[in-house]
Amino acid sequence: MEIIEGCPLMGVPVPNDATVTAADIARLAAVGRAAVSNWRRRHDDFPQPVGGTAVSPTFSLAEVEDWLRGQGKLTDSPVQERVWQTLRAAAYGDVELADVLTFAGAFLLYLRADPGHWRELASAPDEKIAGTLAGAVGAHTDLVPDVQPADPVPLVRAVCQLVDELGVAEAFEFLRTRYLEHHSRRVYLTPEPVVRLMLELGGPARTVLDPACGTGAYLGMANEVFKNVEQLLGQEIDDTTARMSAIQLALRGAPAEIHAGDSLLADAFPGRTVDLVATNPPFNDRGWGYEELTGDPRWEYGLPPRMESELAWLQHGLAHVRPGGTVVLLMPPAVANRRSGRRVRAELLRRGTLRAVIGLPPGAVPNMAVALTVWVLRRPSPGDSPPDDVLMVDTSADPDNFQKVAANAWHRYLKGKPDGTDASVVVRIIDLLDDEVDLTPARYLPQRSAPASEGSFIAAQELLLTKTAELRDTVAGLSALTLTQARDDTPMTTIGELAKAGVLQILRPSARGSGEGTVPVLTLEDIAQGSEPTGTTAPDDDHVRVTTGDIVVSLAARYPVARVMPEGGPVLGPGLALVRVEPSRADPDFVAGWLLLGAQGARLRSSTSSARFDVRRARLPRLTPDEQAELGRAFRRLTDLEAALRETHALGADVLRLGLEGLGAGALRPSD
């Protein structure tokens, strides 16, 4: 970690009037957001909200720090949180948070290049610092944003304090990561184990290109793992992300050249070749440029079909590697067997360009509803004899060691030795060139079953014990509900009337079919079972995307569900409706509770399995905001109980299954 000593603050502390959300509090205490909700309910001395909305309240950071410290729960650095809030406060008017972060990164490049100049400048009055800083920073980097904070002095002093704690490069990495987590939906982070595996499959290399570099994960890792790296090239379609990646790589001393732009439509490196192209390209991109690029010379293996953008990225990578160079891409599994792409796949096989297809385990890349694959390709050199086989690897049976499984199979394949396990197989190219040209690894591997181990049983048992303890606490929280005299004179309204009044919106999913894709879709079964999204679809502007605080309602009377969504992201699937409440006018938990009552009533009234619940006709009382909030908290306690019971049941089923399998296989035995 590189620390710049003597990065003075001149006695000016970072402001401590910042506010934080429940998610920020969870990060400070290293717990889940549910734990923060529990603290708010169970501890009378927990800090009260100072702003925000009923769905997303904000709290005083100073008060939260004091409370967490008194409870012994403070694990993260309050300095980091205060600095982040200082950056957020600097974004106003025409200055966006991305501009503030980019300016902070440019300042860090200046600080890294000339710390002595800053030591001298920091002792000057704020007016002189403000007048001198832009020129000093611009002298060391061309990454200064066009729009800059009006008063940069508090910002750079705050950043300096973060540098004293983390170092220059890590300070920017912290700020950039926080920005990407909460303020950018356009960047998907590839996990480090997957990046490291892909570089191992393609290395060693002195020159590397990532044509869809995003946050620069592949280029940054290449700078670490490859010796004597000479050049790292990257292109990213989003200008802000490209600038941030360029700053981060420069702060780590990487010989990187990053450009903003669309690699397929506006290649920043025409005619330049490298040893290795490694990337996680966009999937299922309908607008990749099929019409504009029909006659492009990069399509050496055939014109990529309109719906096969992945095959365009693959050939773009091959066009940028030298003869004998390697291309390693992360791909969705459908690329291996779509009928539209079989001609290109066949040509890759005939020329000996495709060398391996490696299936990753489910969950290796989070937020993907399918298990992805890694394709390894090599650009043939003149005079090479085309290979006659391809390596197929399936790592799904050992998700904890998928890197090792894949790398061992690859290195033994290169040495001409069989892997010796049932995780890989070498398939003759002639056997792949049939009508389907299916390159799915699992198709060519024997079926496997992994017996449960004693360790997995013990781990599941411990999880069940933890969950049952939490369940007791959840049940105990219901003691706050007391019997009272029922009222029948409360005026009532309906969801439809509230929609007409603008208190809420009722949204339905698009009538068009989902098709193939990687955008997660929340299905009727998902919402009924309380599970993560299991459906997928291709990107479409007509989709209804779920956001935090939305109420998702089942339209099927046999599934009475109305759930306030803690997080957004997926799109709404068939059989569901979405009620989006204006938090300043109604409490979402209150509305969700009455929607659930209406849905249960529809189930009792239905005479067929196809009966529908009419969301607009659901009734609810007219109450004051305080009365709604109070009743909403009560509804939330009951839905928390439902979720806890469901999770406990699932964990109990796992313990039962693993116990039976362990006893049957002899991996478990009774102890005296």
Side-chain angles (χ1 to χ4, degrees):
M1 181 171 66
E2 182 184 9
I3 300 291
I4 301 294
E5 297 182 356
C7 187
L9 292 172
M10 299 304 298
V12 180
V14 178
N16 201 22
D17 57 354
T19 59
V20 290
T21 64
D24 298 327
I25 298 172
R27 184 183 296 103
L28 284 169
V31 298
R33 292 180 63 178
V36 178
S37 298
N38 288 336
W39 294 342
R40 292 184 63 193
R41 289 197 300 265
R42 298 174 188 171
H43 296 277
D44 294 337
D45 62 339
F46 191 88
Q48 294 298 307
V50 296
T53 65
V55 175
S56 181
T58 58
F59 306 82
S60 164
L61 175 57
E63 293 179 5
V64 169
E65 281 182 47
D66 291 341
W67 190 88
L68 291 175
R69 189 176 288 108
Q71 296 285 328
K73 301 179 184 296
L74 187 63
T75 61
D76 206 350
S77 167
V79 171
Q80 296 177 17
E81 196 62 46
R82 282 197 294 271
V83 172
W84 171 246
Q85 300 302 335
T86 301
L87 260 72
R88 291 182 61 188
Y92 62 91
D94 294 332
V95 184
E96 298 183 356
L97 183 57
D99 298 321
V100 176
L101 182 55
T102 305
F103 180 82
F107 169 76
L108 288 170
L109 287 172
Y110 148 70
L111 185 62
R112 180 179 182 271
D114 195 355
H117 185 271
W118 168 248
R119 292 191 191 98
E120 296 178 2
L121 181 61
S123 61
D126 286 1
E127 293 77 7
K128 181 178 180 180
I129 296 175
T132 307
L133 195 59
V137 172
H140 292 280
T141 177
D142 59 356
L143 295 172
V144 181
D146 296 332
V147 181
Q148 301 174 24
D151 183 6
V153 179
L155 172 65
V156 298
R157 292 197 188 282
V159 170
C160 248
Q161 187 173 0
L162 193 60
V163 169
D164 284 341
E165 182 170 298
L166 298 178
V168 173
E170 294 302 327
F172 186 73
E173 181 63 23
F174 163 76
L175 296 173
R176 185 181 68 149
T177 300
R178 184 66 65 86
Y179 173 83
L180 293 174
E181 285 177 352
H182 297 283
H183 297 273
S184 178
R185 296 182 179 271
R186 296 166 296 194
V187 179
Y188 298 90
L189 304 179
T190 309
E192 180 180 326
V194 175
V195 174
R196 191 175 292 274
L197 169 63
M198 292 174 64
L199 292 177
E200 184 174 357
L201 296 172
R206 291 192 175 186
T207 53
V208 182
L209 165 67
D210 182 350
C213 67
T215 61
Y218 289 91
L219 300 178
M221 182 69 70
N223 189 57
E224 294 180 15
V225 301
F226 295 149
K227 295 181 180 179
N228 303 317
V229 172
E230 296 175 357
Q231 195 168 49
L232 302 171
L233 306 179
Q235 188 166 355
E236 163 57 34
I237 194 168
D238 180 66
D239 181 72
T240 296
T241 306
R243 284 175 176 264
M244 292 182 187
S245 298
I247 290 170
Q248 181 61 16
L249 289 165
L251 287 172
R252 296 190 181 279
E257 181 182 342
I258 309 297
H259 292 274
D262 188 318
S263 289
L264 296 181
L265 290 170
D267 187 3
F269 307 104
R272 297 172 68 174
T273 59
V274 295
D275 299 332
L276 169 64
V277 172
T279 189
N280 177 359
F283 299 157
N284 299 291
D285 182 7
R286 296 182 180 181
W288 63 268
Y290 176 84
E291 290 82 3
E292 300 92 326
L293 301 173
T294 299
D296 197 283
R298 287 172 290 184
W299 314 146
E300 183 179 349
Y301 297 84
L303 175 64
R306 185 187 303 273
M307 300 302 294
E308 296 260 16
S309 61
E310 299 86 1
L311 294 179
W313 285 100
L314 181 152
Q315 295 191 72
H316 175 80
L318 287 170
H320 276 290
V321 290
R322 60 169 177 77
T326 305
V327 177
V328 186
L329 294 96
L330 197 61
M331 294 282 216
V335 181
N337 55 27
R338 287 194 191 113
R339 289 190 61 81
S340 58
R342 65 186 185 277
R343 292 184 180 179
V344 174
R345 295 197 300 270
E347 193 64 18
L348 291 168
L349 291 169
R350 291 190 185 97
R351 299 197 191 185
T353 302
L354 181 65
R355 306 305 304 120
V357 180
I358 300 169
L360 300 180
V365 180
N367 302 320
M368 288 294 174
V370 294
L372 302 184
T373 58
V374 175
W375 287 35
V376 184
L377 306 102
R378 179 181 179 273
R379 184 171 187 81
S381 296
D384 282 353
S385 298
D388 58 5
D389 54 38
V390 172
L391 176 67
M392 297 286 181
V393 184
D394 182 6
T395 65
S396 60
D398 194 357
D400 294 333
N401 299 296
F402 74 90
Q403 289 176 264
K404 184 177 179 181
V405 171
N408 285 347
W410 173 246
H411 292 310
R412 293 184 68 85
Y413 172 67
L414 292 179
K415 295 177 181 178
K417 299 178 180 180
D419 184 35
T421 71
D422 61 357
S424 69
V425 64
V426 177
V427 183
R428 295 188 307 164
I429 289 177
I430 195 172
D431 294 332
L432 296 170
L433 292 172
D434 54 16
D435 290 340
E436 297 180 355
V437 196
D438 192 338
L439 304 179
T440 305
R443 175 174 179 173
Y444 305 96
L445 288 161
Q447 296 296 317
R448 298 162 296 181
S449 60
S453 66
E454 178 184 0
S456 60
F457 170 78
I458 298 301
Q461 181 192 30
E462 291 176 351
L463 283 174
L464 181 59
L465 288 172
T466 301
K467 180 51 63 177
T468 52
E470 294 178 0
L471 179 60
R472 285 196 299 269
D473 292 341
T474 302
V475 174
L478 299 180
S479 61
L481 302 180
T482 58
L483 292 175
T484 185
Q485 183 67 37
R487 296 176 54 185
D488 57 5
D489 59 346
T490 304
M492 303 292 285
T493 185
T494 65
I495 293 293
E497 290 173 351
L498 293 179
K500 291 179 180 178
V503 177
L504 51 82
Q505 293 177 279
I506 305 172
L507 305 175
R508 301 285 181 85
S510 171
R512 286 187 285 183
S514 60
E516 292 184 332
T518 56
V519 177
V521 175
L522 193 67
T523 67
L524 179 61
E525 289 74 19
D526 298 334
I527 199 68
Q529 298 171 10
S531 63
E532 295 295 317
T534 58
T536 59
T537 186
D540 194 316
D541 292 339
D542 290 336
H543 285 320
V544 175
R545 189 172 292 274
V546 179
T547 62
T548 302
D550 285 345
I551 306 167
V552 176
V553 187
S554 167
L555 298 179
R558 67 184 186 278
Y559 293 134
V561 180
R563 182 168 292 118
V564 179
M565 303 302 292
E567 295 181 354
V571 300
L572 202 65
L576 299 174
L578 186 148
V579 176
R580 182 166 293 162
V581 176
E582 174 57 48
S584 63
R585 304 182 66 181
D587 183 84
D589 288 315
F590 167 78
V591 175
W594 284 95
L595 278 168
L596 182 56
L597 284 170
Q600 290 180 338
R603 180 186 63 176
L604 295 175
R605 294 190 301 270
S606 64
S607 57
T608 67
S609 61
S610 61
R612 307 285 283 178
F613 168 48
D614 188 346
V615 173
R616 291 183 173 273
R617 296 179 64 181
R619 289 165 53 82
L620 66 168
R622 295 182 181 272
L623 300 178
T624 67
D626 290 342
E627 291 172 328
Q628 289 186 33
E630 183 180 14
L631 196 55
R633 286 191 292 269
F635 279 130
R636 170 64 73 174
R637 289 191 180 97
L638 293 173
T639 55
D640 286 347
L641 174 63
E642 178 194 20
L645 287 169
R646 185 187 301 110
E647 189 172 353
T648 304
H649 178 270
L651 289 172
D654 282 343
V655 171
L656 175 61
R657 176 181 57 82
L658 293 169
L660 289 171
E661 292 177 357
L663 289 171
L668 294 174
R669 59 182 301 175
S671 59
D672 296 333

